[in-house]
Amino acid sequence: MSGFELKLDELRIEGASRAGDRTWFRVHPPGLAFDTGRGALALTGAEHVFLSHGHLDHALGLPFVLSNRTMQELAPTRVYCPAPMVDEIHDFVVAAARLERESYVYELAGLEPGDRVDVGRDLVVEAFAVEHGVPALGFHLLRRRKRLLAEHRGRPGPELAELRRRGVELEERGEEVWVTYCGDTGRSIFDREPRLFDAEVLLLECTFLAPADGDRAAEFGHLHLRDLERCAERFANRAIVLHHLTRRHSLDELRLAVTERLPGLAERVHLVP
Ligand SMILES: [Zn+2]
């Protein structure tokens, strides 16, 4: 499987995703991992690892990442997962380490919706609730930035310089949603977490396409393309990365469906091979 890469200004995202196979993304900066798939060498550099839920196509790779990082004597890995599954993840990692006669260097912490983790200079990850039938979270990567106050936007540079010289306050410190990763989720996410519509880059699962699969999507807590159609005009993102497609459809089928059914979004949609 060839990898996925998206570059947008200073942001770079790589990953791989298919339902029931593997899902992981690495986001640079700061180089963090959202999920671990079944393990990938590209995740070895990730000091911060955020697990969205315990399904093995997302979480099986965690011991593999910890093993590689420990072997290469990298900084202790900081692993975060939904709070209700901390014990299971702990047991899982301990069993893997025993199997290898190793002792992995890592810290594990459970997160509740709303919890925040500093992951770099001016970068914070915030967890939010999703709907998936098992303990599950989505994550926002937030960026703190200085920006011009609204009343000064559009002023020419020399005028701003003059104001600055006079000591006028020109900027405020704001926080923007840079990347949102929803993990696996049902459609209630669009009401629960409307900030996802404003993320610069949105990593959104889109598992099902066929009309017959509408009930299946609702039953298993996944998104169907028609769920995206229903709120198509709300997506203000610069890039929307659709992932976690069922293996019963090809990427070409998804591309065609997006072009036909989400014409206003198609130009901004990227697919993960
Ligand atoms: Zn899942």
Side-chain angles (χ1 to χ4, degrees), residues 11 30 51-52 62 64 180 182-183 192-193 198 215 219 223 230 233:
L11 189 67
L51 293 181
S52 65
L62 177 63
F64 183 77
T180 294
C182 295
R192 286 168 187 255
E193 198 56 34
D198 296 317
D215 294 343
E219 184 183 347
L223 291 176
R230 286 184 182 136
E233 70 292 342

Short mmCIF file of all heavy atoms in Angstrom, two decimals, residues 11 30 51-52 62 64 180 182-183 192-193 198 215 219 223 230 233:
data_model
loop_
_atom_site.label_atom_id
_atom_site.label_comp_id
_atom_site.label_asym_id
_atom_site.label_seq_id
_atom_site.Cartn_x
_atom_site.Cartn_y
_atom_site.Cartn_z
N LEU A 11 2.44 22.63 7.33
CA LEU A 11 1.86 21.39 7.85
C LEU A 11 2.12 20.23 6.89
O LEU A 11 2.01 20.39 5.67
CB LEU A 11 0.35 21.61 8.00
CG LEU A 11 -0.47 20.56 8.72
CD1 LEU A 11 -0.10 20.51 10.19
CD2 LEU A 11 -1.95 20.89 8.57
N PRO A 30 3.59 18.71 15.36
CA PRO A 30 4.85 18.44 16.07
C PRO A 30 5.39 17.04 15.81
O PRO A 30 6.34 16.63 16.49
CB PRO A 30 4.41 18.57 17.53
CG PRO A 30 3.02 18.01 17.53
CD PRO A 30 2.42 18.39 16.20
N LEU A 51 -4.42 7.58 20.90
CA LEU A 51 -5.26 6.50 20.41
C LEU A 51 -6.72 6.93 20.51
O LEU A 51 -7.18 7.35 21.57
CB LEU A 51 -5.06 5.23 21.24
CG LEU A 51 -3.70 4.55 21.15
CD1 LEU A 51 -3.70 3.30 22.03
CD2 LEU A 51 -3.34 4.20 19.71
N SER A 52 -7.44 6.79 19.40
CA SER A 52 -8.84 7.22 19.40
C SER A 52 -9.75 6.18 20.05
O SER A 52 -10.73 6.53 20.68
CB SER A 52 -9.31 7.50 17.97
OG SER A 52 -9.30 6.31 17.19
N LEU A 62 0.43 -0.15 18.66
CA LEU A 62 1.06 0.59 19.76
C LEU A 62 2.31 -0.09 20.32
O LEU A 62 3.36 0.54 20.43
CB LEU A 62 0.04 0.87 20.88
CG LEU A 62 0.62 1.59 22.09
CD1 LEU A 62 1.13 2.99 21.73
CD2 LEU A 62 -0.39 1.67 23.23
N PHE A 64 4.32 -2.10 18.94
CA PHE A 64 5.34 -2.06 17.89
C PHE A 64 6.06 -0.70 17.92
O PHE A 64 7.29 -0.64 17.86
CB PHE A 64 4.67 -2.30 16.53
CG PHE A 64 5.61 -2.35 15.37
CD1 PHE A 64 6.37 -3.49 15.13
CD2 PHE A 64 5.72 -1.28 14.51
CE1 PHE A 64 7.24 -3.54 14.05
CE2 PHE A 64 6.59 -1.32 13.42
CZ PHE A 64 7.35 -2.45 13.19
N THR A 180 -8.15 18.50 12.76
CA THR A 180 -9.09 17.70 13.56
C THR A 180 -9.08 16.27 13.04
O THR A 180 -9.17 16.03 11.84
CB THR A 180 -10.52 18.26 13.46
OG1 THR A 180 -10.56 19.54 14.08
CG2 THR A 180 -11.51 17.34 14.17
N CYS A 182 -11.12 12.76 13.70
CA CYS A 182 -12.33 12.27 14.37
C CYS A 182 -12.26 10.79 14.73
O CYS A 182 -13.18 10.28 15.37
CB CYS A 182 -13.55 12.49 13.48
SG CYS A 182 -13.89 14.24 13.23
N GLY A 183 -11.20 10.08 14.30
CA GLY A 183 -11.19 8.63 14.55
C GLY A 183 -12.37 7.99 13.85
O GLY A 183 -12.78 8.42 12.77
N ARG A 192 -22.34 17.24 17.91
CA ARG A 192 -21.54 17.27 19.15
C ARG A 192 -20.35 18.21 19.05
O ARG A 192 -19.95 18.82 20.03
CB ARG A 192 -20.92 15.88 19.41
CG ARG A 192 -21.85 14.82 19.91
CD ARG A 192 -21.07 13.49 19.80
NE ARG A 192 -21.93 12.36 20.10
CZ ARG A 192 -21.89 11.68 21.24
NH1 ARG A 192 -21.02 12.01 22.17
NH2 ARG A 192 -22.69 10.67 21.44
N GLU A 193 -19.70 18.24 17.90
CA GLU A 193 -18.40 18.91 17.81
C GLU A 193 -18.31 19.80 16.57
O GLU A 193 -17.51 19.56 15.66
CB GLU A 193 -17.30 17.84 17.79
CG GLU A 193 -15.92 18.35 18.13
CD GLU A 193 -15.84 19.06 19.47
OE1 GLU A 193 -16.56 18.68 20.42
OE2 GLU A 193 -15.07 20.03 19.57
N ASP A 198 -14.54 24.01 11.18
CA ASP A 198 -13.65 25.16 11.02
C ASP A 198 -12.17 24.77 11.04
O ASP A 198 -11.30 25.63 10.91
CB ASP A 198 -13.90 26.17 12.15
CG ASP A 198 -15.31 26.74 12.06
OD1 ASP A 198 -15.72 27.05 10.93
OD2 ASP A 198 -15.98 26.84 13.10
N ASP A 215 -28.03 1.90 7.06
CA ASP A 215 -28.33 1.37 8.39
C ASP A 215 -27.07 0.81 9.05
O ASP A 215 -26.88 0.93 10.25
CB ASP A 215 -29.38 0.25 8.29
CG ASP A 215 -30.71 0.80 7.83
OD1 ASP A 215 -30.89 2.03 7.91
OD2 ASP A 215 -31.56 0.01 7.37
N GLU A 219 -25.59 1.65 12.68
CA GLU A 219 -25.48 0.56 13.66
C GLU A 219 -24.07 0.45 14.23
O GLU A 219 -23.89 0.20 15.42
CB GLU A 219 -25.86 -0.77 12.96
CG GLU A 219 -25.87 -1.96 13.88
CD GLU A 219 -26.17 -3.26 13.14
OE1 GLU A 219 -26.61 -3.19 11.95
OE2 GLU A 219 -25.97 -4.32 13.73
N LEU A 223 -19.46 6.79 9.56
CA LEU A 223 -20.07 7.77 8.68
C LEU A 223 -20.32 7.18 7.30
O LEU A 223 -19.53 6.36 6.80
CB LEU A 223 -19.17 9.01 8.56
CG LEU A 223 -19.05 9.86 9.82
CD1 LEU A 223 -18.06 11.00 9.62
CD2 LEU A 223 -20.42 10.42 10.22
N ARG A 230 -25.52 15.74 3.83
CA ARG A 230 -26.54 16.47 4.58
C ARG A 230 -26.02 17.76 5.20
O ARG A 230 -26.79 18.66 5.51
CB ARG A 230 -27.12 15.58 5.69
CG ARG A 230 -28.04 14.52 5.13
CD ARG A 230 -28.66 13.72 6.27
NE ARG A 230 -29.51 12.67 5.72
CZ ARG A 230 -29.53 11.41 6.17
NH1 ARG A 230 -28.75 11.07 7.19
NH2 ARG A 230 -30.32 10.53 5.62
N GLU A 233 -22.70 22.08 3.20
CA GLU A 233 -22.42 23.53 3.14
C GLU A 233 -21.75 24.03 4.42
O GLU A 233 -21.31 25.18 4.47
CB GLU A 233 -23.71 24.31 2.85
CG GLU A 233 -24.74 24.36 3.95
CD GLU A 233 -25.41 23.02 4.24
OE1 GLU A 233 -25.36 22.08 3.39
OE2 GLU A 233 -25.99 22.90 5.33
#
